[in-house]
Amino acid sequence: MSVTLIAGFNQGLLLPLLAILLDQQGVSSDMNGLNSMALYIGTFGMMFFIEKPIRRFGYKAGILAGIALAGAATLLFPVFSGTLWVWFILRIAVGIGDSALHYCTQLWIVSSASPQRRGRVISLYGMAYGIGFSLGPIGINLANAGSWMPFVLNAVLFVLVAAFVLTLGGEYPETAKASAESGNRFWLIYRLAWFALLPAILYGLLESTMNSNFPLYGLRIGLSKEAISMLLPALGIGSLVVMFPLGMLSDRIGRKRVLMGCALSAGLLFFAVPLAGGQVPLLFVLLSLIGGLVGSFFSLGLAYAGDLLPRHVLPSANVIASIHFSIGSLLGPSIGGASIQYVSTQSVFLLLGGAFTLFALLGPLFRNAGGEAAVNPNSVV
């Protein structure tokens, strides 16, 4: 959980901090968004190679490698301040490191939890990430003491958590011998759990858009840098308050119902954000409610996939979920930045609201796909 917390802090700090620094240097919104994509390019690319090394070397080695890469890259940002192409490369390196951290921690938790408690256990993982993600933007204010201060703090936290990981025993994913089913495991995963893997795209879209584009939105409607740093944690705070209850509720009434209900409610709230204008208290309430509803989307989606799929394909399912997260994360900053630049400042929230509403409307189609009822007949749909 400590690894997840620091990984959340890293993303919660770097995305808005770098976006603000580039905006202050006169970089346009669309170019700012494109530069933010680099982190998710690293995450996306790593997912095609990570499964085999982790099966061979185990979770511990993967986590330590991810910490080393992300921590070293973080320290280099202030060294190359203002050099856009170097920051692009460093963001890719951070993305690769974060990818290893998330893959190992998520798979470790999902594969070891019992189905009856999987929602609660994965919620604790999500809460750890949410705490870090919520604290991250607060670190923006350290830049007032020196532009290098937030980056050094981030690197120090990575060193501390690495020291803790070194005390853990090595763990390895469950492997399966080649068979007709495992040979077509990706087709099997999509056939049985396509709906459970969509929340990963939405969560990537939410996280990257809010952290990369909301600071730009806030600056354009007249919010101060301090107000933006206070508003961004609202997503995580709301998520922390209800994440564990949502996990318990999903264990009781079914994860599909919880995912659909939360997505529809969040979609409506996203549409309401532009109506709040620059009223900071109202924006904080709206973002807190949105965070509470969809802040656990990625973890609940993984738990749902764990309900639906055979155990031996979970490592591959986790790869797919991480790729989906990267796709959403890549689309978010680029589309959001372009929409702010060329459509309207408020259009980014119409994008998010439409995406979550569409997911809720797709829910009733999943039963007809034949996966859920066949694999998990006791689940509530």
Side-chain angles (χ1 to χ4, degrees), residues 92 97 116 140 158 176 204 222 232 259 293:
I92 291 176
Q116 295 77 17
I140 294 173
F158 272 129
L232 280 175
L259 287 167
L293 289 166

Side-chain angles (χ1 to χ4, degrees), residues 52 110 167 181 244 258 270 272 290 292 296 330-331 333 341-342:
K52 288 185 178 179
V110 171
T167 67
E181 185 180 50
F244 191 70
V258 172
F270 272 121
I290 290 169
S296 56
L330 287 167
L331 292 174
Q341 184 79 10
Y342 301 111

Side-chain angles (χ1 to χ4, degrees), residues 308-333:
L308 299 170
L309 295 169
R311 184 182 176 89
H312 74 270
V313 300
L314 288 181
S316 299
N318 194 276
V319 167
I320 292 174
S322 296
I323 291 173
H324 283 189
F325 172 81
S326 300
I327 291 172
S329 300
L330 287 167
L331 292 174

Side-chain angles (χ1 to χ4, degrees), residues 294-377:
V294 297
S296 56
F297 243 52
F298 188 93
S299 55
L300 277 181
L302 279 181
Y304 193 20
D307 296 339
L308 299 170
L309 295 169
R311 184 182 176 89
H312 74 270
V313 300
L314 288 181
S316 299
N318 194 276
V319 167
I320 292 174
S322 296
I323 291 173
H324 283 189
F325 172 81
S326 300
I327 291 172
S329 300
L330 287 167
L331 292 174
S334 55
I335 296 177
S339 67
I340 290 174
Q341 184 79 10
Y342 301 111
V343 182
S344 72
T345 304
Q346 296 80 13
S347 59
V348 65
F349 295 105
L350 301 180
L351 165 70
L352 290 170
F356 278 92
T357 302
L358 178 61
F359 170 77
L361 296 177
L362 286 174
L365 301 178
F366 180 55
R367 185 180 181 88
N368 296 331
E372 184 171 17
V375 178
N376 190 11

